[in-house]
PDB file of all heavy atoms in Angstrom:
ATOM      1  N   VAL L   1      30.769  53.613 -16.290  1.00 95.00           N
ATOM      2  CA  VAL L   1      30.803  53.629 -14.831  1.00 95.00           C
ATOM      3  C   VAL L   1      29.408  53.908 -14.284  1.00 95.00           C
ATOM      4  O   VAL L   1      28.704  54.788 -14.778  1.00 95.00           O
ATOM      5  CB  VAL L   1      31.825  54.676 -14.301  1.00 95.00           C
ATOM      6  CG1 VAL L   1      31.579  56.061 -14.902  1.00 95.00           C
ATOM      7  CG2 VAL L   1      31.797  54.759 -12.773  1.00 95.00           C
ATOM      8  N   PHE L   2      29.008  53.124 -13.284  1.00 91.00           N
ATOM      9  CA  PHE L   2      27.742  53.347 -12.592  1.00 91.00           C
ATOM     10  C   PHE L   2      28.022  54.194 -11.368  1.00 91.00           C
ATOM     11  O   PHE L   2      28.793  53.811 -10.496  1.00 91.00           O
ATOM     12  CB  PHE L   2      27.115  52.015 -12.180  1.00 91.00           C
ATOM     13  CG  PHE L   2      25.732  52.172 -11.608  1.00 91.00           C
ATOM     14  CD1 PHE L   2      24.641  52.390 -12.443  1.00 91.00           C
ATOM     15  CD2 PHE L   2      25.512  52.105 -10.244  1.00 91.00           C
ATOM     16  CE1 PHE L   2      23.361  52.536 -11.917  1.00 91.00           C
ATOM     17  CE2 PHE L   2      24.242  52.255  -9.713  1.00 91.00           C
ATOM     18  CZ  PHE L   2      23.167  52.473 -10.562  1.00 91.00           C
ATOM     19  N   PHE L   3      27.436  55.380 -11.331  1.00 89.00           N
ATOM     20  CA  PHE L   3      27.723  56.331 -10.262  1.00 89.00           C
ATOM     21  C   PHE L   3      26.497  57.206 -10.036  1.00 89.00           C
ATOM     22  O   PHE L   3      25.893  57.687 -10.988  1.00 89.00           O
ATOM     23  CB  PHE L   3      28.933  57.188 -10.667  1.00 89.00           C
ATOM     24  CG  PHE L   3      29.368  58.189  -9.632  1.00 89.00           C
ATOM     25  CD1 PHE L   3      29.759  57.780  -8.363  1.00 89.00           C
ATOM     26  CD2 PHE L   3      29.393  59.537  -9.923  1.00 89.00           C
ATOM     27  CE1 PHE L   3      30.160  58.703  -7.402  1.00 89.00           C
ATOM     28  CE2 PHE L   3      29.804  60.472  -8.972  1.00 89.00           C
ATOM     29  CZ  PHE L   3      30.180  60.045  -7.714  1.00 89.00           C
ATOM     30  N   ARG L   4      26.137  57.395  -8.773  1.00 84.00           N
ATOM     31  CA  ARG L   4      24.961  58.197  -8.406  1.00 84.00           C
ATOM     32  C   ARG L   4      23.720  57.767  -9.193  1.00 84.00           C
ATOM     33  O   ARG L   4      22.953  58.583  -9.698  1.00 84.00           O
ATOM     34  CB  ARG L   4      25.247  59.686  -8.599  1.00 84.00           C
ATOM     35  CG  ARG L   4      26.298  60.168  -7.600  1.00 84.00           C
ATOM     36  CD  ARG L   4      26.603  61.637  -7.698  1.00 84.00           C
ATOM     37  NE  ARG L   4      27.760  61.947  -6.829  1.00 84.00           N
ATOM     38  CZ  ARG L   4      28.471  63.057  -6.905  1.00 84.00           C
ATOM     39  NH1 ARG L   4      28.162  63.990  -7.790  1.00 84.00           N
ATOM     40  NH2 ARG L   4      29.490  63.248  -6.100  1.00 84.00           N
ATOM     41  N   GLY L   5      23.564  56.463  -9.300  1.00 79.00           N
ATOM     42  CA  GLY L   5      22.326  55.921  -9.850  1.00 79.00           C
ATOM     43  C   GLY L   5      22.218  55.858 -11.359  1.00 79.00           C
ATOM     44  O   GLY L   5      21.164  55.529 -11.876  1.00 79.00           O
ATOM     45  N   THR L   6      23.294  56.164 -12.089  1.00 86.00           N
ATOM     46  CA  THR L   6      23.192  56.136 -13.548  1.00 86.00           C
ATOM     47  C   THR L   6      24.501  55.673 -14.184  1.00 86.00           C
ATOM     48  O   THR L   6      25.570  55.792 -13.570  1.00 86.00           O
ATOM     49  CB  THR L   6      22.801  57.528 -14.090  1.00 86.00           C
ATOM     50  OG1 THR L   6      22.572  57.427 -15.494  1.00 86.00           O
ATOM     51  CG2 THR L   6      23.884  58.557 -13.844  1.00 86.00           C
ATOM     52  N   TRP L   7      24.417  55.132 -15.395  1.00 92.00           N
ATOM     53  CA  TRP L   7      25.619  54.730 -16.129  1.00 92.00           C
ATOM     54  C   TRP L   7      26.140  55.916 -16.937  1.00 92.00           C
ATOM     55  O   TRP L   7      25.375  56.624 -17.574  1.00 92.00           O
ATOM     56  CB  TRP L   7      25.321  53.556 -17.060  1.00 92.00           C
ATOM     57  CG  TRP L   7      25.161  52.265 -16.317  1.00 92.00           C
ATOM     58  CD1 TRP L   7      23.984  51.679 -15.925  1.00 92.00           C
ATOM     59  CD2 TRP L   7      26.205  51.397 -15.850  1.00 92.00           C
ATOM     60  NE1 TRP L   7      24.242  50.520 -15.240  1.00 92.00           N
ATOM     61  CE2 TRP L   7      25.593  50.315 -15.182  1.00 92.00           C
ATOM     62  CE3 TRP L   7      27.604  51.444 -15.933  1.00 92.00           C
ATOM     63  CZ2 TRP L   7      26.322  49.281 -14.601  1.00 92.00           C
ATOM     64  CZ3 TRP L   7      28.331  50.408 -15.356  1.00 92.00           C
ATOM     65  CH2 TRP L   7      27.698  49.337 -14.704  1.00 92.00           C
ATOM     66  N   SER L   8      27.456  56.116 -16.891  1.00 94.00           N
ATOM     67  CA  SER L   8      28.109  57.213 -17.611  1.00 94.00           C
ATOM     68  C   SER L   8      29.324  56.686 -18.362  1.00 94.00           C
ATOM     69  O   SER L   8      29.811  55.589 -18.088  1.00 94.00           O
ATOM     70  CB  SER L   8      28.567  58.305 -16.645  1.00 94.00           C
ATOM     71  OG  SER L   8      27.473  58.832 -15.926  1.00 94.00           O
ATOM     72  N   THR L   9      29.808  57.492 -19.300  1.00 96.00           N
ATOM     73  CA  THR L   9      31.043  57.140 -19.996  1.00 96.00           C
ATOM     74  C   THR L   9      32.222  57.862 -19.353  1.00 96.00           C
ATOM     75  O   THR L   9      32.053  58.737 -18.496  1.00 96.00           O
ATOM     76  CB  THR L   9      30.948  57.517 -21.491  1.00 96.00           C
ATOM     77  OG1 THR L   9      30.301  58.778 -21.612  1.00 96.00           O
ATOM     78  CG2 THR L   9      30.160  56.477 -22.266  1.00 96.00           C
ATOM     79  N   VAL L  10      33.432  57.489 -19.771  1.00 96.00           N
ATOM     80  CA  VAL L  10      34.664  58.024 -19.202  1.00 96.00           C
ATOM     81  C   VAL L  10      35.426  58.769 -20.301  1.00 96.00           C
ATOM     82  O   VAL L  10      35.479  58.320 -21.446  1.00 96.00           O
ATOM     83  CB  VAL L  10      35.523  56.876 -18.623  1.00 96.00           C
ATOM     84  CG1 VAL L  10      36.897  57.378 -18.187  1.00 96.00           C
ATOM     85  CG2 VAL L  10      34.792  56.216 -17.454  1.00 96.00           C
ATOM     86  N   CYS L  11      36.003  59.918 -19.940  1.00 95.00           N
ATOM     87  CA  CYS L  11      36.684  60.747 -20.937  1.00 95.00           C
ATOM     88  C   CYS L  11      38.052  60.173 -21.309  1.00 95.00           C
ATOM     89  O   CYS L  11      38.827  59.767 -20.449  1.00 95.00           O
ATOM     90  CB  CYS L  11      36.864  62.160 -20.397  1.00 95.00           C
ATOM     91  SG  CYS L  11      35.292  62.890 -19.950  1.00 95.00           S
ATOM     92  N   TYR L  12      38.341  60.198 -22.607  1.00 95.00           N
ATOM     93  CA  TYR L  12      39.589  59.652 -23.126  1.00 95.00           C
ATOM     94  C   TYR L  12      40.777  60.574 -22.857  1.00 95.00           C
ATOM     95  O   TYR L  12      41.921  60.142 -22.876  1.00 95.00           O
ATOM     96  CB  TYR L  12      39.445  59.410 -24.637  1.00 95.00           C
ATOM     97  CG  TYR L  12      40.524  58.539 -25.224  1.00 95.00           C
ATOM     98  CD1 TYR L  12      40.490  57.156 -25.059  1.00 95.00           C
ATOM     99  CD2 TYR L  12      41.588  59.090 -25.936  1.00 95.00           C
ATOM    100  CE1 TYR L  12      41.476  56.344 -25.586  1.00 95.00           C
ATOM    101  CE2 TYR L  12      42.589  58.284 -26.471  1.00 95.00           C
ATOM    102  CZ  TYR L  12      42.524  56.910 -26.291  1.00 95.00           C
ATOM    103  OH  TYR L  12      43.509  56.108 -26.803  1.00 95.00           O
ATOM    104  N   SER L  13      40.491  61.849 -22.567  1.00 92.00           N
ATOM    105  CA  SER L  13      41.562  62.854 -22.485  1.00 92.00           C
ATOM    106  C   SER L  13      42.625  62.537 -21.423  1.00 92.00           C
ATOM    107  O   SER L  13      43.784  62.911 -21.575  1.00 92.00           O
ATOM    108  CB  SER L  13      40.970  64.242 -22.213  1.00 92.00           C
ATOM    109  OG  SER L  13      40.147  64.199 -21.065  1.00 92.00           O
ATOM    110  N   THR L  14      42.249  61.840 -20.346  1.00 92.00           N
ATOM    111  CA  THR L  14      43.246  61.480 -19.327  1.00 92.00           C
ATOM    112  C   THR L  14      43.309  59.958 -19.145  1.00 92.00           C
ATOM    113  O   THR L  14      43.692  59.464 -18.084  1.00 92.00           O
ATOM    114  CB  THR L  14      42.913  62.126 -17.960  1.00 92.00           C
ATOM    115  OG1 THR L  14      41.606  61.686 -17.550  1.00 92.00           O
ATOM    116  CG2 THR L  14      42.939  63.646 -18.048  1.00 92.00           C
ATOM    117  N   TRP L  15      42.902  59.229 -20.175  1.00 95.00           N
ATOM    118  CA  TRP L  15      42.840  57.766 -20.090  1.00 95.00           C
ATOM    119  C   TRP L  15      44.138  57.167 -20.634  1.00 95.00           C
ATOM    120  O   TRP L  15      44.321  57.010 -21.830  1.00 95.00           O
ATOM    121  CB  TRP L  15      41.641  57.256 -20.880  1.00 95.00           C
ATOM    122  CG  TRP L  15      41.363  55.794 -20.741  1.00 95.00           C
ATOM    123  CD1 TRP L  15      41.529  54.826 -21.693  1.00 95.00           C
ATOM    124  CD2 TRP L  15      40.847  55.122 -19.581  1.00 95.00           C
ATOM    125  NE1 TRP L  15      41.157  53.605 -21.198  1.00 95.00           N
ATOM    126  CE2 TRP L  15      40.737  53.755 -19.904  1.00 95.00           C
ATOM    127  CE3 TRP L  15      40.485  55.550 -18.300  1.00 95.00           C
ATOM    128  CZ2 TRP L  15      40.263  52.808 -18.989  1.00 95.00           C
ATOM    129  CZ3 TRP L  15      40.019  54.614 -17.397  1.00 95.00           C
ATOM    130  CH2 TRP L  15      39.910  53.264 -17.740  1.00 95.00           C
ATOM    131  N   TYR L  16      45.069  56.874 -19.719  1.00 96.00           N
ATOM    132  CA  TYR L  16      46.379  56.349 -20.117  1.00 96.00           C
ATOM    133  C   TYR L  16      46.548  54.902 -19.643  1.00 96.00           C
ATOM    134  O   TYR L  16      45.621  54.312 -19.093  1.00 96.00           O
ATOM    135  CB  TYR L  16      47.482  57.241 -19.535  1.00 96.00           C
ATOM    136  CG  TYR L  16      47.417  58.663 -20.036  1.00 96.00           C
ATOM    137  CD1 TYR L  16      47.015  59.695 -19.191  1.00 96.00           C
ATOM    138  CD2 TYR L  16      47.724  58.967 -21.366  1.00 96.00           C
ATOM    139  CE1 TYR L  16      46.931  61.009 -19.651  1.00 96.00           C
ATOM    140  CE2 TYR L  16      47.649  60.275 -21.838  1.00 96.00           C
ATOM    141  CZ  TYR L  16      47.250  61.287 -20.978  1.00 96.00           C
ATOM    142  OH  TYR L  16      47.164  62.573 -21.436  1.00 96.00           O
ATOM    143  N   ASP L  17      47.724  54.350 -19.846  1.00 96.00           N
ATOM    144  CA  ASP L  17      47.946  52.946 -19.486  1.00 96.00           C
ATOM    145  C   ASP L  17      47.706  52.677 -17.999  1.00 96.00           C
ATOM    146  O   ASP L  17      47.205  51.612 -17.637  1.00 96.00           O
ATOM    147  CB  ASP L  17      49.368  52.511 -19.863  1.00 96.00           C
ATOM    148  CG  ASP L  17      49.449  52.073 -21.328  1.00 96.00           C
ATOM    149  OD1 ASP L  17      48.387  51.980 -21.976  1.00 96.00           O
ATOM    150  OD2 ASP L  17      50.564  51.825 -21.819  1.00 96.00           O
ATOM    151  N   THR L  18      48.063  53.643 -17.134  1.00 97.00           N
ATOM    152  CA  THR L  18      47.870  53.425 -15.691  1.00 97.00           C
ATOM    153  C   THR L  18      46.387  53.243 -15.367  1.00 97.00           C
ATOM    154  O   THR L  18      45.996  52.282 -14.701  1.00 97.00           O
ATOM    155  CB  THR L  18      48.441  54.606 -14.876  1.00 97.00           C
ATOM    156  OG1 THR L  18      49.806  54.779 -15.227  1.00 97.00           O
ATOM    157  CG2 THR L  18      48.353  54.334 -13.382  1.00 97.00           C
ATOM    158  N   GLU L  19      45.562  54.164 -15.869  1.00 97.00           N
ATOM    159  CA  GLU L  19      44.117  54.084 -15.610  1.00 97.00           C
ATOM    160  C   GLU L  19      43.537  52.792 -16.191  1.00 97.00           C
ATOM    161  O   GLU L  19      42.739  52.094 -15.540  1.00 97.00           O
ATOM    162  CB  GLU L  19      43.398  55.299 -16.208  1.00 97.00           C
ATOM    163  CG  GLU L  19      43.675  56.619 -15.513  1.00 97.00           C
ATOM    164  CD  GLU L  19      45.031  57.231 -15.846  1.00 97.00           C
ATOM    165  OE1 GLU L  19      45.674  56.821 -16.834  1.00 97.00           O
ATOM    166  OE2 GLU L  19      45.448  58.138 -15.116  1.00 97.00           O
ATOM    167  N   ALA L  20      43.938  52.473 -17.413  1.00 97.00           N
ATOM    168  CA  ALA L  20      43.418  51.281 -18.084  1.00 97.00           C
ATOM    169  C   ALA L  20      43.842  50.006 -17.353  1.00 97.00           C
ATOM    170  O   ALA L  20      43.058  49.062 -17.220  1.00 97.00           O
ATOM    171  CB  ALA L  20      43.885  51.252 -19.538  1.00 97.00           C
ATOM    172  N   THR L  21      45.087  49.994 -16.851  1.00 97.00           N
ATOM    173  CA  THR L  21      45.584  48.826 -16.111  1.00 97.00           C
ATOM    174  C   THR L  21      44.804  48.634 -14.812  1.00 97.00           C
ATOM    175  O   THR L  21      44.422  47.511 -14.460  1.00 97.00           O
ATOM    176  CB  THR L  21      47.093  48.986 -15.798  1.00 97.00           C
ATOM    177  OG1 THR L  21      47.798  49.088 -17.035  1.00 97.00           O
ATOM    178  CG2 THR L  21      47.621  47.791 -15.022  1.00 97.00           C
ATOM    179  N   VAL L  22      44.556  49.734 -14.099  1.00 95.00           N
ATOM    180  CA  VAL L  22      43.772  49.655 -12.861  1.00 95.00           C
ATOM    181  C   VAL L  22      42.415  49.013 -13.139  1.00 95.00           C
ATOM    182  O   VAL L  22      41.974  48.107 -12.419  1.00 95.00           O
ATOM    183  CB  VAL L  22      43.589  51.055 -12.230  1.00 95.00           C
ATOM    184  CG1 VAL L  22      42.558  51.015 -11.098  1.00 95.00           C
ATOM    185  CG2 VAL L  22      44.922  51.584 -11.704  1.00 95.00           C
ATOM    186  N   LEU L  23      41.768  49.429 -14.218  1.00 96.00           N
ATOM    187  CA  LEU L  23      40.441  48.892 -14.520  1.00 96.00           C
ATOM    188  C   LEU L  23      40.514  47.425 -14.940  1.00 96.00           C
ATOM    189  O   LEU L  23      39.718  46.609 -14.464  1.00 96.00           O
ATOM    190  CB  LEU L  23      39.760  49.712 -15.619  1.00 96.00           C
ATOM    191  CG  LEU L  23      38.348  49.232 -15.956  1.00 96.00           C
ATOM    192  CD1 LEU L  23      37.443  49.268 -14.725  1.00 96.00           C
ATOM    193  CD2 LEU L  23      37.739  50.059 -17.071  1.00 96.00           C
ATOM    194  N   CYS L  24      41.454  47.074 -15.809  1.00 96.00           N
ATOM    195  CA  CYS L  24      41.582  45.666 -16.223  1.00 96.00           C
ATOM    196  C   CYS L  24      41.750  44.760 -15.008  1.00 96.00           C
ATOM    197  O   CYS L  24      41.109  43.716 -14.900  1.00 96.00           O
ATOM    198  CB  CYS L  24      42.767  45.484 -17.172  1.00 96.00           C
ATOM    199  SG  CYS L  24      42.510  46.123 -18.854  1.00 96.00           S
ATOM    200  N   ARG L  25      42.596  45.179 -14.070  1.00 93.00           N
ATOM    201  CA  ARG L  25      42.853  44.360 -12.883  1.00 93.00           C
ATOM    202  C   ARG L  25      41.645  44.301 -11.966  1.00 93.00           C
ATOM    203  O   ARG L  25      41.328  43.251 -11.396  1.00 93.00           O
ATOM    204  CB  ARG L  25      44.079  44.884 -12.139  1.00 93.00           C
ATOM    205  CG  ARG L  25      45.362  44.658 -12.927  1.00 93.00           C
ATOM    206  CD  ARG L  25      46.592  45.155 -12.193  1.00 93.00           C
ATOM    207  NE  ARG L  25      47.797  44.969 -13.005  1.00 93.00           N
ATOM    208  CZ  ARG L  25      49.011  45.334 -12.624  1.00 93.00           C
ATOM    209  NH1 ARG L  25      49.197  45.913 -11.447  1.00 93.00           N
ATOM    210  NH2 ARG L  25      50.050  45.128 -13.416  1.00 93.00           N
ATOM    211  N   THR L  26      40.943  45.437 -11.816  1.00 90.00           N
ATOM    212  CA  THR L  26      39.737  45.459 -10.988  1.00 90.00           C
ATOM    213  C   THR L  26      38.692  44.481 -11.525  1.00 90.00           C
ATOM    214  O   THR L  26      37.987  43.821 -10.768  1.00 90.00           O
ATOM    215  CB  THR L  26      39.120  46.881 -10.960  1.00 90.00           C
ATOM    216  OG1 THR L  26      40.078  47.792 -10.435  1.00 90.00           O
ATOM    217  CG2 THR L  26      37.876  46.938 -10.094  1.00 90.00           C
ATOM    218  N   LEU L  27      38.584  44.402 -12.848  1.00 92.00           N
ATOM    219  CA  LEU L  27      37.585  43.539 -13.484  1.00 92.00           C
ATOM    220  C   LEU L  27      38.064  42.084 -13.574  1.00 92.00           C
ATOM    221  O   LEU L  27      37.344  41.233 -14.092  1.00 92.00           O
ATOM    222  CB  LEU L  27      37.260  44.062 -14.883  1.00 92.00           C
ATOM    223  CG  LEU L  27      36.575  45.431 -14.941  1.00 92.00           C
ATOM    224  CD1 LEU L  27      36.418  45.888 -16.386  1.00 92.00           C
ATOM    225  CD2 LEU L  27      35.217  45.411 -14.242  1.00 92.00           C
TER     226      LEU L  27
END
């Protein structure tokens, strides 16, 4: 994710199907 001027990674601890689906559709 690009946020506040830099690229960062996303934590897997709360990464479920809902979050993943939102991103797939956004892209």
Side-chain angles (χ1 to χ4, degrees):
V1 53
F2 187 77
F3 182 59
R4 293 182 188 164
T6 186
W7 286 97
S8 301
T9 41
V10 172
C11 302
Y12 195 78
S13 54
T14 59
W15 187 250
Y16 299 109
D17 275 353
T18 304
E19 290 77 16
T21 299
V22 169
L23 182 58
C24 286
R25 291 181 182 179
T26 301
L27 295 175

